[in-house]
Amino acid sequence: MHLQEIYEYVDAHSQEFIGDLVRLVKQPSVSAKGEGMQECAKMVEKMMREVGLSTRIIPEKEGNPVVYGEIKSETSKKTLLFYNHYDVQPPEPLEEWICDPFSGEIRNGKIYGRGVSDNKGNIVSRLKVVQAFLETMGSVPVNIKFVIEGEEEIGSPHLPPVIQKHKNLFSADAAIWEFGGTNRKGRPDVYLGLKGVLSVELRAKGANRDVHSANAPLIPNPAWRLAWALNTLKNDKDEILIDGFYDNVDTPSAEEIECLKTIRYEEEEEKKELGLKEYIHDVSGLDVPKALLYQPTCTINGFLTGYTDKGSKTVLPNKAMAKLDFRLVRRQMPNEIFSKLVRHLKNRGFGDIEVISHGSTEPVKTPITDKFVQTVIKTAEKVYGKEAAVYPTSAGSGPMHLFRNWLGYPVVSVGCGHAESRAHAPNENITAEGFIKGTKFIATLLHEFSVS
Ligand SMILES: [Zn+2]
């Protein structure tokens, strides 16, 4: 196998690849608002066909379509699946962008746009690897499957039944997940799992309409009610007080601790970038990745009640709501945590507060000792010429459990982003260099996987 030929092909076609990425970024696909979803699915399917994959769109009655593509190898029986998503986060706040978020503008070697890093850069980079192999070798080193869904940014609510229904279509020997990149030192990040997440909404109700605040001695205030209820969930030491919340939580193994030591988390750089003097409880050193990857959380995402506009208004609101998310570590199942939360509120005298679930995913992990994991790490180190930063799991969440736990194969996340790609934030970007390097990395990985 002459990978040099592939690298040369990628270099020679880099402008065309970047052009296709810009084209995809220009197509808005904001799942939260249902903006451009069908159009983007069609564009992704067309790109798949253009590189030589056979495709099908799995339509969803309620949700956005899943785009599927595959190509068989002439030389290997192994199958590698790529999981990606074509939907993006809303671009707001627009005034903080240096360019139109759907322009794909290129400045100083960086391609800007909502979704360019999360996740369109990886989509295009991986599709182009297929094109590079077919045009130079006439075949791909292993069977390849692509699952590109359109609801990752809203919690993949319709993906589980799709996977359930098409188990054979999604069978594989291993999978590469959607995200990743290099850190500030140019070391490739390799992620072996995800935290789970449970999103909930709490609602408190008072009178059947807002009343004059002079009535406060008599009329219950749902804003206070909700504040008191929230106060029972977590103390000022950041300990979550829900009964049984920490039952069975996963702690790092000796092997994982060794891994955490080699990450050398870039805490000073991150704090500086975020304008913070210290992290919560001033954690530092090894405790930073430990907290980030192994600590389950309870986060208030938003709180809405009463009058918050200019000046004052002496009103007593009749409703209050808060949105929360719980990031969960291994062995914390979201449905159990939900029941524990409901029971906790009831036991503390807050049974009147309505608890609504807005979706969840399970925590998931592939062991470091897995053979595919080792292949990915070795390949990353070879291509980037630097020690990989291996995360036994990551702080983020996603529907990885459907593939790892339901279908049973190893899943590793790597990608072509960088430490300041600003996913979900204004001025999301990737570097053209990182995009091309990431493409060569995936090409090399296909080869290494075929001979491993
Ligand atoms: Zn995202």
Side-chain angles (χ1 to χ4, degrees):
M1 168 74 54
H2 306 291
L3 279 169
Q4 196 50 40
E5 239 180 284
I6 300 279
Y7 296 161
E8 280 165 18
Y9 180 92
V10 171
D11 283 331
H13 292 79
S14 60
Q15 286 315 309
E16 173 200 320
F17 293 0
I18 291 167
D20 278 350
L21 172 56
V22 169
R23 196 152 62 90
L24 191 57
V25 170
K26 280 187 168 166
Q27 170 60 55
S29 50
V30 185
S31 49
K33 302 183 200 166
E35 198 184 312
M37 302 315 298
Q38 298 293 334
E39 294 86 341
C40 194
K42 279 189 198 129
M43 188 183 259
V44 167
E45 197 236 6
K46 188 161 170 274
M47 278 187 174
M48 279 185 176
R49 271 189 281 119
E50 281 167 2
V51 302
L53 295 160
S54 53
T55 61
R56 82 187 251 195
I57 287 190
I58 304 171
E60 278 302 292
K61 250 191 219 121
E62 291 160 63
N64 302 324
V66 173
V67 190
Y68 175 82
E70 65 174 16
I71 183 163
K72 291 236 175 330
S73 167
E74 288 168 10
T75 50
S76 171
K77 284 202 163 61
K78 283 186 186 168
T79 301
L80 186 67
L81 179 141
F82 290 104
Y83 165 86
N84 289 88
H85 60 91
Y86 62 85
D87 65 324
V88 304
Q89 286 279 325
E92 286 79 7
L94 297 178
E95 64 279 8
E96 286 184 27
W97 283 80
I98 57 166
C99 61
D100 178 336
F102 297 107
S103 65
E105 209 173 299
I106 303 173
R107 288 192 196 192
N108 301 323
K110 284 181 181 165
I111 311 153
Y112 285 87
R114 170 54 83 231
V116 70
S117 145
D118 180 13
N119 177 239
K120 291 176 172 175
N122 284 320
I123 292 178
V124 176
S125 151
R126 292 161 185 193
L127 290 179
K128 293 303 175 186
V129 168
V130 174
Q131 176 181 329
F133 271 105
L134 292 181
E135 301 244 316
T136 55
M137 311 283 164
S139 171
V140 284
V142 293
N143 303 320
I144 295 171
K145 294 180 173 181
F146 277 89
V147 180
I148 308 188
E149 69 147 318
E151 301 190 329
E152 195 272 347
E153 300 292 8
I154 52 169
S156 309
H158 300 99
L159 192 60
V162 173
I163 302 285
Q164 195 73 273
K165 205 169 138 194
H166 302 274
K167 274 194 169 166
N168 284 337
L169 206 55
F170 301 121
S171 67
D173 296 297
I176 290 292
W177 204 246
E178 47 129 352
F179 68 88
T182 49
N183 69 14
R184 289 175 186 79
K185 306 239 163 37
R187 293 172 60 198
D189 295 321
V190 177
Y191 300 94
L192 308 184
L194 296 174
K195 276 185 175 174
V197 69
L198 167 67
S199 296
V200 299
E201 181 175 322
L202 302 186
R203 284 189 197 165
K205 283 194 195 84
N208 58 15
R209 60 176 173 81
D210 286 359
V211 296
H212 194 296
S213 72
N215 294 299
L218 301 178
I219 311 292
N221 184 335
W224 273 116
R225 191 93 192 117
L226 190 53
W228 292 326
L230 289 171
N231 197 39
T232 70
L233 297 182
K234 193 162 127 170
N235 65 20
D236 60 2
K237 293 187 189 72
D238 265 279
E239 291 159 343
I240 297 157
L241 305 173
I242 298 168
D243 297 327
F245 183 80
Y246 293 102
D247 286 357
N248 316 316
V249 300
D250 197 21
T251 48
S253 65
E255 239 164 4
E256 290 175 0
I257 293 277
E258 285 313 306
C259 236
L260 297 182
K261 282 183 192 160
T262 66
I263 291 173
R264 288 185 292 279
Y265 195 83
E266 296 165 317
E267 50 186 285
E268 291 314 319
E269 293 88 339
E270 186 181 58
K271 280 185 271 185
K272 202 174 148 205
E273 201 199 329
L274 294 175
L276 294 172
K277 280 200 182 68
E278 58 190 47
Y279 289 136
I280 292 175
H281 307 308
D282 207 8
V283 291
S284 64
L286 189 58
D287 289 338
V288 174
K290 249 192 189 170
L292 191 62
L293 305 183
Y294 292 90
Q295 193 177 300
T297 62
C298 167
T299 301
I300 297 176
N301 309 127
F303 192 99
L304 188 69
T305 185
Y307 182 79
T308 55
D309 216 331
K310 270 187 207 151
S312 68
K313 181 182 180 188
T314 46
V315 68
L316 197 163
N318 76 328
K319 55 179 185 275
M321 70 95 107
K323 300 223 179 200
L324 280 79
D325 76 47
F326 296 89
R327 297 276 172 176
L328 308 173
V329 300
R330 214 156 63 113
R331 298 197 188 89
Q332 282 183 308
M333 286 300 129
N335 52 351
E336 286 174 22
I337 297 295
F338 183 81
S339 307
K340 285 174 180 173
L341 169 67
V342 172
R343 206 177 317 133
H344 166 96
L345 288 171
K346 209 172 159 203
N347 290 345
R348 297 294 189 289
F350 292 102
D352 56 309
I353 289 187
E354 193 185 353
V355 189
I356 300 158
S357 171
H358 284 303
S360 65
T361 58
E362 293 170 18
V364 52
K365 201 149 82 173
T366 298
I368 307 167
T369 47
D370 182 274
K371 195 178 160 205
F372 178 66
V373 169
Q374 290 303 319
T375 302
V376 176
I377 294 171
K378 274 189 208 126
T379 307
E381 295 186 335
K382 195 162 122 187
V383 173
Y384 289 92
K386 287 188 173 148
E387 184 192 23
V390 181
Y391 291 76
T393 185
S394 95
S397 305
M400 190 189 275
H401 64 285
L402 304 179
F403 299 84
R404 169 77 191 130
N405 300 356
W406 290 18
L407 299 174
Y409 41 79
V411 185
V412 179
S413 204
V414 290
C416 61
H418 64 113
E420 286 172 31
S421 275
R422 298 172 188 259
H424 295 205
N427 302 320
E428 181 176 348
N429 70 87
I430 58 173
T431 66
E433 198 191 335
F435 172 64
I436 295 303
K437 188 101 173 172
T439 306
K440 291 177 183 170
F441 170 36
I442 295 296
T444 315
L445 180 62
L446 288 186
H447 167 68
E448 294 293 339
F449 180 52
S450 75
V451 298
S452 69

